[in-house]
Amino acid sequence: HVQLVESGGGSVQAGGSLRLSCEMSGYNHGYCLGWFRQAPGKEREGVAIMSTWGPITYADSAKGRFTISKDNDKNTLYLQMNNLKPEDTAMYYCAADLNFCLITGARRFSIWGQGTQVTVS
């Protein structure tokens, strides 16, 4: 039974950086892992995904600014976010799924954390 707990959100000025963390319990390396975000009034969208069976994929809005990574020893997923913009303001979630791994398929990821808020002003 996989559980995900995000942390690291906060309020930053435009141009600043944040690193989000997602502690994973019950995880094994067969899962697709991803970061998603949801702004008020908008649908949840993919930011970055990674798995052992495919390439790392970034949303166009994240390319060149965000980096997804994983520390296997700590069972922790990270999202390093640089050059943040006000439009990056959202609740950020990490997610996992054993059978699905597309950045456009937020609805099909089966396991979610509680989210961490990122506000850029």
Side-chain angles (χ1 to χ4, degrees), residues 36-85:
F36 295 80
R37 67 186 184 186
Q38 188 166 19
K42 295 188 177 182
E43 290 201 359
R44 194 167 295 187
E45 63 178 4
V47 176
I49 59 171
M50 66 185 304
S51 72
T52 56
W53 69 80
I56 290 177
T57 305
Y58 293 96
D60 288 343
S61 60
K63 289 177 183 176
R65 300 188 300 128
F66 295 1
T67 303
I68 188 172
S69 63
K70 180 164 60 72
D71 186 326
N72 291 325
D73 291 337
K74 295 182 178 180
N75 277 349
T76 301
L77 183 72
Y78 299 103
L79 183 69
Q80 177 67 44
M81 305 187 293
N82 298 327
N83 190 22
L84 283 160
K85 304 176 182 180

Side-chain angles (χ1 to χ4, degrees), residues 18-35:
L18 282 173
R19 188 178 77 159
L20 306 184
S21 299
C22 175
E23 294 185 25
M24 305 177 290
S25 59
Y27 159 82
N28 68 59
H29 297 298
Y31 280 85
C32 175
L33 304 171
W35 286 99

